[in-house]
Each structure stands twice: as structure tokens, then as C-alpha cells.
């Protein structure tokens, strides 16, 4: 039995599909299932049981002997939310309780961290534990993820295997419900389809031209392959970056979205909204050497190929993974 939290969300629902593809069908999905717009992400999947996130720890007390692995991917991920109490409850405190349960019942754990922990990137993007206490995220979401990473590595008692994954800019199927927090590729697809053009944020940093802001965009299919690898190779606990190791510009992203749609490019710019302007990341690029050092050898999908697959096979027909 495998437990997946945040299971109706974007990344976790894609992981469930990957597990089903490998004939893991005894899956317990945990989430707030009252959010109806997310439920389509789980339609047609092979599942054992739905458990509300508020009832999960009581459920685990009763069923822990049947559980083989826990993927804790559930979190509040809104980078514009400023209420620290929300993140303390859903990200920090819930994750601590998950960690302690995995210690108590000796269950292996993979959990979602975030590249938001790196803040402005002034210290680089190394996943070396020594940097963790020095990182200064730019918003309460990043703080909550960094706070848990720091707490986890300091614990005298740990699950016999655990891994925290610092997701960079993830894109791909099953993010239809995410609204403003969906990937730029999703927003580009919607804008191009509706207006024939795409509007990007103007640069407010003299070191970057408009559209030349760079991020490490990672395809969700690659991300879940790493999760699958860690489930099957429970030897090297720690915190790992999960990007591609190659930063690409928003112009690259947008031009390839136009290309996948067979449209002529029409790119415009507007000021970055004031509520995120001061905390905007102009460059992210994962140092992937740590994950590679433990034996992960699969290649990461090139941005051009990932966008083409996502747009043609999922967004255009409105399909789920």
C-alpha cells in the first residue's frame, strides 16, 4: 500500500498515474476532497481508498502495518498568500506530524520541498545541507518549506529512508485547477488560444531584458520518475534539487508554445504586479549533481519537447495524465 498526500493536486495525481502504470494499484489518496475542481485529476485511476487530510493520522494509526511508502506532496502552494498561520498549519505543522508518524511506524517518506527556499538566489542553488540555515526565501510559502527542511535535518530521530525534493518550476498535465498558480505554459496556451497573443512580465531588473528572465522549467513526467526512483532505491536519505539543471528564458517558453499551437508569435509585455514585484525570481537553475551522485541517470525532457507533448497531447484535447 502506498500513501499519496495532496493526491487530487497537480503533481501528486501525475505520480498516481505513474504508480498505476507500474501496477501499483493499492494506493491511498489523501487530500481535501471538498475542492471539486481538482477531482477530475483522479478520475479513472486505480485507487484503494480516499482519506480526508484531517482524518489521515487517525487512519494511519489503524493501518500503518499495511503501508509500504508515503509520498507527502500535499501543501498550500500559493506564493502570493501572506497569512503565515495558513502555512504553519498546512505545510510546517502537518509535515512535522507526518515525519514523526513515519519515525514511529518506520515508514519511508518522500516529501515536497521547493526551489522557493532559495529566495533571490544570491547563495546559488546548491542542495548542500550546510546552506539550509543561510537561505532567505522571499515569501511565507518559501519560508514554510525552508523551515521544515531545516527542522528535518536537525531531528535526532529520522525515518529509515527519507528524501525532501526541492521542486523547481514544474509544468505539465493536470494543472487545470491551479488558476494563477498554474505554469506559465498553461497561461500562454490559454492566452494564445483566446487572443492570439501572449503577455509576459516586463523586467524590472537592469540585468535582464524583457522576457529574458530565466527559470529551470521541469516537466512533471520527469519529476514523478524521480519519485519512483527514490521509492525503489531507499539508500541515500537527504534533500535533493529537482529541476533539469538548465535555466531557460520565458521567451523560449512562449515561442515554443506558439510553435506547438502552429501560431505566429505575438509577444507583449506588462509590468510585474506590485504584490510580487519585490519577491520576483529572475533566475533559477538547479544544481543536479547530488541526485546524479546517488545513481539517477534518466535524462530530463528538453523544454521544447516537454511543451510540444504538453500542448499537443493534453492541453489541446483537454486530456489528463
Amino acid at each position: 500500500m502506498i500513501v499519496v498526500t495532496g493526491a487530487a493536486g497537480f503533481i501528486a495525481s501525475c505520480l498516481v498515474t505513474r504508480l498505476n502504470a507500474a501496477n501499483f494499484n493499492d494506493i491511498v489518496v489523501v487530500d481535501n476532497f471538498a475542492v471539486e475542481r481538482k477531482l477530475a485529476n483522479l478520475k479513472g485511476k486505480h485507487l484503494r481508498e480516499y482519506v480526508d487530510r484531517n482524518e489521515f493520522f487517525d487512519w494511519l494509526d489503524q493501518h500503518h502495518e499495511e503501508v509500504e511508502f508515503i509520498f507527502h506532496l500535499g501543501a498550500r502552494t500559493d506564493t502570493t498568500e501572506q497569512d503565515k498561520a495558513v502555512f504553519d498549519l498546512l505545510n510546517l505543522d502537518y509535515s512535522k506530524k507526518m515525519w514523526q508518524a513515519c519515525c514511529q511506524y518506520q515508514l519511508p517518506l518522500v516529501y515536497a520541498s521547493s526551489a522557493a527556499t532559495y529566495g533571490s538566489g544570491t547563495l546559488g542553488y546548491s542542495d548542500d545541507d550546510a546552506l539550509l540555515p543561510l537561505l532567505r526565501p522571499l515569501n511565507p510559502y518559501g519560508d514554510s518549506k525552508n523551515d521544515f527542511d531545516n527542522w528535518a535535518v536537525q531531528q535526532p530521530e529520522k525515518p529509515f529512508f527519507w528524501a525532501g525534493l526541492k521542486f523547481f518550476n514544474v509544468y505539465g498535465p493536470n494543472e487545470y485547477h491551479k488558476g494563477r498558480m498554474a505554469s506559465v505554459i498553461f497561461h500562454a496556451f490559454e492566452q494564445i488560444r483566446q487572443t492570439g497573443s501572449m503577455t509576459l512580465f516586463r523586467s524590472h531588473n537592469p540585468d535582464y531584458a524583457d522576457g529574458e528572465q530565466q527559470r529551470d522549467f521541469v516537466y512533471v513526467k520527469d519529476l514523478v520518475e524521480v519519485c519512483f526512483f527514490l521509492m525503489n532505491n531507499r539508500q541515500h536519505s537527504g534533500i535533493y534539487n529537482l529541476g533539469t539543471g538548465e535555466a531557460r528564458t520565458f521567451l523560449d517558453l512562449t515561442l515554443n508554445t506558439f510553435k506547438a499551437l502552429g501560431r505566429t508569435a505575438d509577444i507583449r509585455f506588462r509590468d510585474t504586479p506590485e504584490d510580487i514585484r519585490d519577491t520576483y525570481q529572475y533566475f533559477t537553475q538547479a544544481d543536479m549533481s547530488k541526485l546524479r551522485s546517488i545513481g539517477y541517470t534518466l535524462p530530463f525532457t528538453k523544454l521544447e519537447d516537454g511543451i510540444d507533448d504538453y500542448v499537443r497531447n493534453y492541453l489541446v484535447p483537454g486530456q489528463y495524465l
Side-chain angles (χ1 to χ4, degrees):
M1 183 191 295
I2 298 169
V3 170
V4 181
T5 76
F10 164 37
I11 295 168
S13 63
C14 292
L15 175 60
V16 171
T17 299
R18 177 65 181 90
L19 292 169
N20 282 173
N23 292 318
F24 289 95
N25 299 323
D26 199 9
I27 298 174
V28 174
V29 291
V30 181
D31 211 319
N32 173 14
F33 296 106
V35 185
E36 292 189 10
R37 67 182 184 277
K38 298 194 299 184
L39 298 184
N41 285 339
L42 292 176
K43 188 175 181 181
K45 292 176 171 52
H46 298 287
L47 308 170
R48 170 168 172 158
E49 190 172 352
Y50 289 74
V51 179
D52 184 271
R53 71 182 182 205
N54 294 321
E55 300 170 0
F56 171 69
F57 293 107
D58 289 337
W59 178 93
L60 187 63
D61 288 340
Q62 298 176 37
H63 297 277
H64 62 88
E65 292 182 355
E66 302 167 69
V67 176
E68 180 184 355
F69 204 96
I70 293 181
F71 289 101
H72 177 38
L73 306 185
R76 175 64 63 88
T77 59
D78 188 345
T79 58
T80 65
E81 172 65 65
Q82 295 301 309
D83 186 353
K84 182 177 182 294
V86 171
F87 293 110
D88 284 346
L89 176 67
L90 296 177
N91 292 6
L92 185 57
D93 295 343
Y94 197 97
S95 296
K96 286 180 178 180
K97 198 169 181 181
M98 183 69 75
W99 178 280
Q100 290 160 347
C102 288
C103 290
Q104 179 181 354
Y105 297 129
Q106 281 299 290
L107 296 171
L109 171 69
V110 167
Y111 74 85
S113 182
S114 171
T117 57
Y118 290 114
S120 62
T122 53
L123 295 177
Y125 296 93
S126 167
D127 45 13
D128 188 323
D129 285 358
L131 286 178
L132 289 174
L134 305 177
L135 298 176
R136 296 293 179 266
L138 299 174
N139 51 51
Y141 165 70
D143 283 332
S144 71
K145 291 297 188 180
N146 194 48
D147 288 347
F148 182 72
D149 288 343
N150 275 283
W151 180 89
V153 298
Q154 294 168 15
Q155 294 310 295
E157 187 178 10
K158 296 177 171 65
F160 75 86
F161 172 77
W162 65 275
L165 298 176
K166 293 197 177 199
F167 298 155
F168 277 66
N169 283 75
V170 189
Y171 68 95
N174 298 15
E175 58 172 336
Y176 298 105
H177 65 282
K178 287 180 65 69
R180 186 178 180 183
M181 291 298 111
S183 72
V184 181
I185 296 163
F186 179 85
H187 289 297
F189 169 79
E190 290 291 320
Q191 281 193 39
I192 293 166
R193 188 173 61 169
Q194 292 171 18
T195 70
S197 65
M198 173 59 182
T199 301
L200 295 173
F201 290 154
R202 185 172 289 113
S203 173
H204 299 271
N205 183 329
D207 295 333
Y208 293 86
D210 292 343
E212 295 292 336
Q213 302 97 318
Q214 297 181 59
R215 299 285 177 86
D216 192 333
F217 300 103
V218 59
Y219 199 22
V220 70
K221 291 184 179 181
D222 294 337
L223 192 148
V224 300
E225 285 297 334
V226 173
C227 290
F228 192 74
F229 166 82
L230 291 169
M231 185 181 73
N232 290 303
N233 295 271
R234 309 172 190 183
Q235 297 177 335
H236 304 280
S237 294
I239 294 175
Y240 297 93
N241 282 335
L242 216 178
T244 65
E246 182 183 5
R248 299 293 298 272
T249 70
F250 283 98
L251 282 177
D252 287 337
L253 180 155
T254 307
L255 289 170
N256 277 286
T257 306
F258 275 106
K259 182 179 178 182
L261 283 166
R263 302 281 193 97
T264 301
D266 180 359
I267 301 173
R268 307 170 188 193
F269 296 93
R270 68 181 178 93
D271 286 347
T272 304
E274 290 191 9
D275 66 335
I276 63 171
R277 190 178 302 177
D278 292 340
T279 60
Y280 187 83
Q281 291 175 307
Y282 279 81
F283 177 85
T284 66
Q285 181 171 279
D287 177 348
M288 295 301 296
S289 56
K290 190 173 175 183
L291 184 68
R292 293 301 193 190
S293 75
I294 67 167
Y296 188 76
T297 59
L298 290 178
F300 288 94
T301 304
K302 283 195 160 296
L303 184 65
E304 291 83 352
D305 298 332
I307 290 174
D308 190 71
D309 182 51
Y310 182 26
V311 171
R312 292 176 184 270
N313 295 320
Y314 299 94
L315 289 177
V316 169
Q319 294 295 312
Y320 292 80
L321 178 63

